[in-house]
Amino acid sequence: MLRFLVFGGVFVALATAQQPGGRVLEPPIPAACAQRTIHERFNGKGYFYSWADPRTAGQEVDWLTGRNFCRQRCMDLVSLETSAENEFIKSRIVQNKVKYIWTSGRLCDFKGCDRPDLQPLQINGWFWTAELQKLAPTTDRNQNDWSESGGIGKPQPDNREAIQGGAPENCLAVLNQFYNDGVNWHDVACHHKKPWVCEENDALLKYVRFTNPNIRV
């Protein structure tokens, strides 16, 4: 069973925070929300698969671009909050022979991440940005789905790219047998480009319904 804790106070600001490099997290577009594509529903929520839509099939984007695509449509990158949802998404990745996808998972690297309960960050600082929920410590292997291997043969998250002189691996992707290690979570540098999965976001849907009562979303 996957376990999460809700982030407090300071992390609410992440919903509209400016991202590294000056890029911003975009608000929903009411018309796009009303016309959002739902490929499948699971436990009451709709999901969009980038590989299943003719307009995005074959496209790979960085983490923030994927989030903004989803958010414009009252969705967000998928948060794998339960074991059932995690297995559901993994089964779709396998069925469609998708190599990897972005999730909303992120290592806290914003203002306020020096909070004592998040230290050390590589263990206690991971959260689902779409839901502002903290993941269980990465050392609690029974409460997450981090891979036991990776590019340098170490359990995930390993921050491999930063260790090798590149960018920090601050975003969470699901990889499909990429290292012959199963279908599992990996920390990946956020500038990498991948297919993505959007999940309907209750907070964004409620916001658009309240501010645009004449639009059916």
Side-chain angles (χ1 to χ4, degrees):
M1 177 64 67
L2 307 181
R3 179 168 59 87
F4 311 102
L5 301 172
V6 177
F7 267 91
V10 65
F11 297 97
V12 174
L14 293 179
T16 56
Q18 181 170 325
Q19 305 296 301
R23 298 170 66 192
V24 298
L25 197 57
E26 297 179 9
I29 300 171
C33 293
Q35 299 171 8
R36 68 188 181 281
T37 297
I38 301 298
H39 290 122
E40 197 166 11
R41 290 193 174 273
F42 178 77
N43 283 351
K45 284 194 173 182
Y47 293 82
F48 169 90
Y49 307 129
S50 68
W51 60 84
D53 192 294
R55 296 164 296 183
T56 55
Q59 289 187 28
E60 297 188 356
V61 300
D62 64 34
W63 183 84
L64 183 57
T65 299
R67 264 204 94 185
N68 280 336
F69 176 97
C70 299
R71 285 177 57 86
Q72 289 171 354
R73 294 158 176 80
C74 285
M75 308 178 84
D76 210 323
L77 286 175
V78 65
S79 299
L80 304 175
E81 301 167 81
T82 66
S83 297
E85 184 178 26
N86 187 54
E87 294 304 317
F88 166 71
I89 293 298
K90 286 168 59 172
S91 72
R92 297 306 183 262
I93 293 171
V94 172
Q95 287 174 11
N96 292 279
K97 298 181 174 59
V98 179
K99 292 188 297 183
Y100 35 54
I101 65 160
W102 282 128
T103 75
S104 79
R106 177 98 184 208
L107 181 68
C108 192
D109 59 352
F110 305 94
K111 183 179 180 181
C113 295
D114 55 351
R115 221 170 66 182
D117 63 304
L118 299 180
Q119 307 309 311
L121 279 177
Q122 279 290 337
I123 294 175
N124 296 309
W126 286 92
F127 69 108
W128 298 119
T129 56
E131 302 296 337
L132 297 179
Q133 286 188 329
K134 182 180 175 184
L135 277 69
T138 59
T139 51
D140 191 350
R141 308 303 286 190
N142 293 324
Q143 300 292 339
N144 56 54
D145 200 20
W146 293 105
S147 176
E148 292 300 326
S149 186
I152 53 177
K154 292 185 177 181
Q156 301 297 292
D158 61 359
N159 203 24
R160 174 186 61 84
E161 193 166 329
I163 292 172
Q164 296 176 335
E169 296 189 325
N170 288 350
C171 288
L172 195 161
V174 180
L175 273 56
N176 181 3
Q177 295 285 1
F178 199 80
Y179 298 104
N180 295 316
D181 60 334
V183 185
N184 301 105
W185 301 355
H186 286 255
D187 59 330
V188 178
C190 304
H191 70 270
H192 285 217
K193 296 184 177 181
K194 302 186 184 303
W196 66 100
V197 174
C198 299
E199 176 184 7
E200 285 183 316
N201 185 276
D202 289 339
L204 296 179
L205 285 166
K206 288 177 182 177
Y207 168 76
V208 169
R209 285 170 182 152
F210 180 77
T211 55
N212 298 267
N214 295 325
I215 294 181
R216 184 177 181 180
V217 297

